[in-house]
Amino acid sequence: MNFSYSKVLTVTATAYSKNEPGLNNKTASGIDLNVNPNVIAVDRSVIPLGTKVYVEGYGYAIAGDTGGAIKGNKIDVHFNSLSDMNNWGVKTVKVYILN
């Protein structure tokens, strides 16, 4: 991998989409998912909001959202499409905290 990182976490990753009923295109930190869709939801005590990351199997993203079910070493990766979200399922992945 061609990036510099300071830490690696093993997390359980689920998925969400701005297109789910009841959700919209704004994250907890104010990111517009229409402009920057590569966002993960995190537990702020594990990965602070604004942290740039590389998620195995997903790619580069920013920790820009939170969620009630996101506690500890769990993240939610954002997809624009509901089919991509559903295809993700639940995975155990490595998250690289970028420098």
Side-chain angles (χ1 to χ4, degrees), residues 13 16 26 34 39 50 52 64 71 81-82 86-87:
Y16 74 109
K26 290 286 186 183
N34 292 322
V39 171
K52 292 183 178 160
K71 303 282 187 229
S81 93
L82 293 173
N86 289 325
N87 288 336

Side-chain angles (χ1 to χ4, degrees), residues 20-53:
E20 288 180 87
L23 295 185
N24 62 48
N25 62 312
K26 290 286 186 183
T27 70
S29 65
I31 295 171
D32 183 340
L33 293 169
N34 292 322
V35 176
N36 181 5
N38 293 350
V39 171
I40 62 172
V42 297
D43 178 335
R44 291 182 285 198
S45 69
V46 177
I47 302 172
L49 287 178
T51 302
K52 292 183 178 160
V53 298

